[in-house]
Amino acid sequence: MLCACSGEQFRFEDQPGSPESLATRDFSASGLSSRNGGGDWDSKLEDIQVDEAESTLKEALSLNYEEARALLGRLEYQRGNFDAALQVFKGIDIKVLTPRIIKAIVEKTLPCKPRSKAVIVPPTTMSMHSVSLLLEAILLKARSLEELGSYKEAAEECKIILDVVENALPSGMPDGISGFAKLQDIFQKALELLPLLWKKAGNHHETIASYRRALSRPWNLDPQRLAVTQKSLALVLLYGSVEACPKDNIEEAIVLLMLLVKKMVVGDIQWDPELMDHLTYALSMTGQFEVLANYLEQTLPGVYTRGERWYLLSLCYSAAGIDKAAINLLKMALGPSESRQIPHIPLLLFGAKLCSKDPKHSRDGINFAHRLLDLGNSQSEHLLSQAHKFLGVCYGNAARSSKLDSERVFLQKKSLFSLNEAAKRGKADPELDVIFNLSVENAVQRNVQAALDGAVEYSSMVGGVSTKGWKHLAIVLSAEKRLKDAESILDFTMEEAGDIEKIELLRLKAVLQMAQEQPKKAMKTCSSLLGLIRAQEKSEQSEKFETEAWQDLASVYGKLGSWSDAETCLEKARSMCYYSPRGWNETGLCLEAKSLHEEALISFFLSLSIEPDHVPSIVSIAEVMMKSGDESLPTAKSFLMNALRLDPRNHDAWMKLGHVAKKQGLSQQAAEFYQAAYELELSAPVQSFI
């Protein structure tokens, strides 16, 4: 075994077994005493004295001892004798050699200067071969420690290589200088190994610092190798411990992933589908869904099928609140060009779900759901239940927008059938949404008892955590004229409701109190409502709530006959939202109460100019027309028929239609209209079910 030697002598504790020992072979390799290297030394020693040559050789020989240990350690490492390799490597005093290694690297990068033949500098500088051999020894020492489970010590050893090279090359690895290939390879391996060792040691701070260190200077990493390092840093920033990876680091990870995706798109690095998955997660965490959609659009053809691409893009736009764009993307899958493609089931289901939320797209939702149901027996019961649920909701929305009575009745039947089918398929594990939607649809069709049963079942299943369910139950009870019970439910629910939910509940409570002819209580409730709204942070939603609260208060004053107070409330509401159909309709009612018929008509028509299908304004216009004389009765009847086309269960419109028929001398028709108004009023809720 090799042992320590002085700076000027090189000896063994035991005699080597043969002249071909590691030290001898290494000495030959260094070019100092080999026959192959003799010619080089002869040329260098032509003009220097013998004692200078001897001194130089002694200095080189003292280093050959370290090199010999490096070679022996490499051999032991390659054999898998990590303990033995570690013992050999420990004999290398790298702290002593570090200044000379740094000096050797620095001098290698200096520009060559012409030297006088008369003056030759002794070759005291370490060769790049020696530098590479010693740095490799440190790297193998780190790997040996890693194999033995000493990750922290391994990382500290590996860090020595980076410190040495960075001190010598503060501006990064030079390009195009001969003799640097081996050194560069060792250094780059150390760059990649260090963060992995810190990760195994459980030190996330050092892991991140090591990756950032590898990317802080140009180290001549090839594009693929650099991409792997950037990706590794991004993943540590995204998925590391909470302590080591605060939210701010997510932005850094996003920048790295965006850079890598751009490189993939232009072909600088190989395509890695995982990068898009990680970028999707990162952008989703920060809510940057439109940015994510932009990157999904940049993906190369063939990475995703067209259905997958449309589906992912629609998820992004929907999450960003742009449902219209999401639905338009999903509708591409319904085109004739996709008829031969394998159906993308998540796309069809998501399309039906999005369309069920927007009555304007109810017909498209019906198409999505039918496409899903056409796949039939290949799907699970749960998936078919979901398809029937969305189909039932879309049928119901389509019925409410239908202009033909026959079509409306047909769609309503389809709606109840689909929702009942969804409930039947999910009977083993009832889904709350199905129960709720079925109750709502029954309520809209005035199947009040069935609606009440569904509302009670839903509320009992969710307990006190669903304000939506209790509010719906209160409205259904109001349709049964159980107004006191409905108000009691609201009081009970309000104890556990949040501030936003309380706003909706207080509005409904004020309406219930007005229906019970308790205007003073209703006024007090509206005052509490306004106070709660003003306590909220200013936003578009809070302004909407406040506008509606002032309009509610105006209705209360109107019931009391205090029209000036009602107008003051309406002015407040208009100052917040000028283009409100309900606001202009309430203004018209105030003017009508003062017998200002023309001004009232102007307000009603302003309301219709904002929302042409605003039924209360249409009925109000008809009422003014009825007061204008018999010649205006046909016009009034036309307006009322239009109102009933939009809302067939509007008992107020039926009642006024009976008045028109009576004035026209059509007693039989008037009786039928009055009968319809009476029956509808018996099951009319104080607030819309939808």
Side-chain angles (χ1 to χ4, degrees):
M1 175 64 71
L2 296 172
C3 70
C5 63
S6 67
E8 296 188 0
Q9 284 187 326
F10 187 83
R11 64 185 181 84
F12 294 90
E13 290 181 352
D14 300 315
Q15 291 293 331
S18 71
E20 292 300 316
S21 68
L22 285 173
T24 305
R25 279 181 284 168
D26 181 52
F27 178 47
S28 300
S30 70
L32 293 176
S33 64
S34 68
R35 294 178 182 178
N36 295 335
D40 293 336
W41 274 103
D42 289 339
S43 62
K44 291 182 180 179
L45 299 175
E46 285 177 357
D47 298 319
I48 59 176
Q49 297 178 358
V50 175
D51 56 343
E52 292 176 336
E54 183 180 358
S55 175
T56 302
L57 286 171
K58 286 179 179 180
E59 184 176 359
L61 281 173
S62 70
L63 183 59
N64 276 347
Y65 164 77
E66 312 290 349
E67 292 180 7
R69 277 190 171 272
L71 290 170
L72 180 58
R74 181 205 291 173
L75 183 61
E76 295 292 351
Y77 177 83
Q78 290 171 345
R79 288 174 175 174
N81 300 329
F82 303 117
D83 278 315
L86 187 58
Q87 293 304 316
V88 174
F89 288 135
K90 283 182 177 179
I92 301 175
D93 191 352
I94 197 64
K95 290 183 179 179
V96 174
L97 297 171
T98 295
R100 300 184 62 194
I101 294 174
I102 293 173
K103 181 181 178 183
I105 298 172
V106 170
E107 291 197 359
K108 185 67 177 177
T109 59
L110 292 175
C112 296
K113 296 180 180 179
R115 290 179 178 174
S116 171
K117 290 185 178 180
V119 180
I120 297 180
V121 179
T124 57
T125 302
M126 191 183 298
S127 69
M128 291 306 296
H129 168 76
S130 300
V131 169
S132 300
L133 193 60
L134 291 170
L135 292 181
E136 183 188 40
I138 302 172
L139 181 64
L140 294 179
K141 183 180 180 182
R143 288 197 177 277
S144 299
L145 287 165
E146 179 189 12
E147 293 290 343
L148 296 172
S150 301
Y151 302 120
K152 182 180 179 182
E153 292 82 355
E156 290 170 349
E157 289 292 332
C158 190
K159 186 173 177 289
I160 294 173
I161 302 174
L162 272 61
D163 292 338
V164 168
V165 177
E166 284 186 351
N167 285 331
L169 305 171
S171 299
M173 191 71 68
D175 194 14
I177 297 180
S178 61
F180 265 72
K182 179 67 174 176
L183 173 65
Q184 179 171 302
D185 182 56
I186 294 169
F187 178 72
Q188 290 178 352
K189 286 178 180 177
L191 276 178
E192 295 170 350
L193 178 62
L194 182 58
L196 298 178
L197 293 173
W198 283 123
K199 187 186 294 185
K200 288 182 178 180
N203 193 326
H204 292 282
H205 287 291
E206 288 293 344
T207 302
I208 294 172
S210 300
Y211 277 124
R212 287 173 175 163
R213 185 177 188 178
L215 300 173
S216 61
R217 293 182 178 88
W219 296 120
N220 288 347
L221 294 168
D222 65 80
Q224 197 63 41
R225 214 166 181 176
L226 179 62
V228 170
T229 304
Q230 290 172 327
K231 176 184 174 182
S232 299
L233 174 56
L235 298 190
V236 172
L237 292 170
L238 277 179
Y239 308 116
S241 70
V242 176
E243 179 186 356
C245 300
K247 291 183 179 180
D248 293 344
N249 287 347
I250 295 180
E251 295 181 4
E252 184 180 350
I254 290 173
V255 171
L256 288 167
L257 292 169
M258 284 180 171
L259 179 63
L260 290 171
V261 170
K262 284 185 177 292
K263 288 181 180 180
M264 287 196 303
V265 170
V266 299
D268 287 347
I269 59 175
Q270 297 174 2
W271 184 264
D272 182 358
E274 288 185 0
L275 287 176
M276 284 305 305
D277 295 337
H278 297 309
L279 182 59
T280 300
Y281 170 77
L283 291 173
S284 299
M285 287 283 289
T286 55
Q288 300 182 55
F289 299 106
E290 288 187 74
V291 177
L292 176 57
N294 181 48
Y295 275 88
L296 284 170
E297 289 173 349
Q298 294 180 29
T299 54
L300 298 175
V303 176
Y304 302 110
T305 64
R306 283 186 294 186
E308 287 173 337
R309 187 191 293 264
W310 291 331
Y311 175 60
L312 292 173
L313 284 171
S314 65
L315 285 175
C316 292
Y317 284 119
S318 176
I322 314 174
D323 283 347
K324 184 177 180 181
I327 291 172
N328 287 337
L329 283 166
L330 294 169
K331 283 166 64 176
M332 293 181 181
L334 299 180
S337 62
E338 297 301 302
S339 58
R340 297 183 180 179
Q341 302 296 325
I342 298 174
H344 192 273
I345 293 170
L347 181 149
L348 296 174
L349 188 63
F350 188 55
K353 179 180 180 179
L354 280 185
C355 292
S356 69
K357 295 179 180 179
D358 189 348
K360 295 178 182 178
H361 295 283
S362 55
R363 308 280 175 169
D364 294 319
I366 292 170
N367 290 336
F368 280 117
H370 273 303
R371 283 286 184 94
L372 197 55
L373 292 172
D374 287 344
L375 301 177
N377 296 329
S378 61
Q379 306 307 317
S380 67
E381 283 295 309
H382 175 72
L383 190 61
L384 293 174
S385 174
Q386 293 292 303
H388 277 293
K389 178 183 73 174
F390 296 132
L391 181 60
V393 175
C394 289
Y395 270 136
N397 290 337
R400 285 181 278 284
S401 62
S402 177
K403 296 180 181 180
L404 298 175
D405 289 338
S406 58
E407 184 184 47
R408 182 185 297 110
V409 172
F410 172 77
L411 293 173
Q412 286 175 341
K413 288 181 179 178
K414 285 282 190 179
S415 176
L416 283 179
F417 174 81
S418 296
L419 290 170
N420 278 308
E421 186 68 21
K424 187 189 302 180
R425 289 181 179 274
K427 196 171 184 179
D429 185 17
E431 187 179 348
L432 292 173
D433 278 351
V434 174
I435 297 170
F436 181 80
N437 288 318
L438 186 56
S439 175
V440 170
E441 189 58 38
N442 274 311
V444 169
Q445 297 187 34
R446 301 297 173 89
N447 303 322
V448 180
Q449 188 57 51
L452 182 60
D453 293 341
V456 170
E457 182 182 1
Y458 178 84
S459 298
S460 63
M461 289 180 69
V462 298
V465 297
S466 175
T467 306
K468 177 179 75 170
W470 292 109
K471 179 185 173 184
H472 173 65
L473 177 58
I475 296 174
V476 174
L477 285 172
S478 75
E480 285 206 327
K481 306 310 173 188
R482 295 166 60 181
L483 303 179
K484 195 64 181 175
D485 291 340
E487 188 177 350
S488 298
I489 284 176
L490 293 181
D491 290 334
F492 161 75
T493 308
M494 229 167 298
E495 294 177 1
E496 298 182 2
D499 287 345
I500 300 298
E501 294 169 326
K502 279 183 181 177
I503 291 172
E504 296 182 6
L505 297 175
L506 282 172
R507 282 198 65 205
L508 178 55
K509 183 177 179 179
V511 175
L512 284 169
Q513 288 168 338
M514 285 301 301
Q516 296 175 74
E517 297 183 353
Q518 298 171 345
K520 290 184 179 180
K521 286 187 177 180
M523 195 179 300
K524 186 177 179 181
T525 302
C526 287
S527 298
S528 301
L529 174 60
L530 282 167
L532 183 59
I533 293 170
R534 288 173 175 175
Q536 304 298 312
E537 186 178 346
K538 282 290 183 182
S539 65
E540 186 177 343
Q541 186 183 33
S542 67
E543 284 192 4
K544 177 177 176 289
F545 284 145
E546 189 170 352
T547 301
E548 292 172 343
W550 283 114
Q551 291 169 351
D552 290 340
L553 194 55
S555 298
V556 175
Y557 280 120
K559 294 287 185 182
L560 290 171
S562 182
W563 300 109
S564 59
D565 290 331
E567 286 179 343
T568 302
C569 294
L570 290 171
E571 285 175 6
K572 289 273 190 181
R574 261 198 306 277
S575 67
M576 307 189 73
C577 181
Y578 188 80
Y579 299 101
S580 168
R582 184 190 171 190
W584 284 109
N585 181 58
E586 294 286 348
T587 301
L589 293 176
C590 289
L591 294 169
E592 176 67 14
K594 295 179 179 180
S595 300
L596 300 173
H597 304 304
E598 291 185 5
E599 291 84 348
L601 276 176
I602 292 172
S603 294
F604 295 142
F605 278 112
L606 273 172
S607 176
L608 290 183
S609 68
I610 298 167
E611 185 181 326
D613 293 340
H614 191 250
V615 174
S617 296
I618 296 173
V619 174
S620 297
I621 290 173
E623 187 172 7
V624 174
M625 292 290 185
M626 289 165 57
K627 296 175 182 177
S628 301
D630 292 346
E631 66 277 2
S632 299
L633 290 178
T635 306
K637 183 177 182 179
S638 176
F639 274 98
L640 291 170
M641 294 298 290
N642 185 39
L644 289 172
R645 178 184 62 81
L646 296 169
D647 183 8
R649 291 182 172 81
N650 190 305
H651 63 274
D652 195 24
W654 281 108
M655 182 64 69
K656 288 180 172 56
L657 194 59
H659 295 335
V660 171
K662 184 179 179 181
K663 286 186 177 183
Q664 289 178 331
L666 304 173
S667 303
Q668 183 63 34
Q669 274 192 7
E672 292 175 358
F673 294 153
Y674 286 142
Q675 180 68 24
Y678 172 74
E679 291 178 358
L680 289 170
E681 189 176 9
L682 286 177
S683 60
V686 295
Q687 199 176 83
S688 173
F689 292 113
I690 305 300

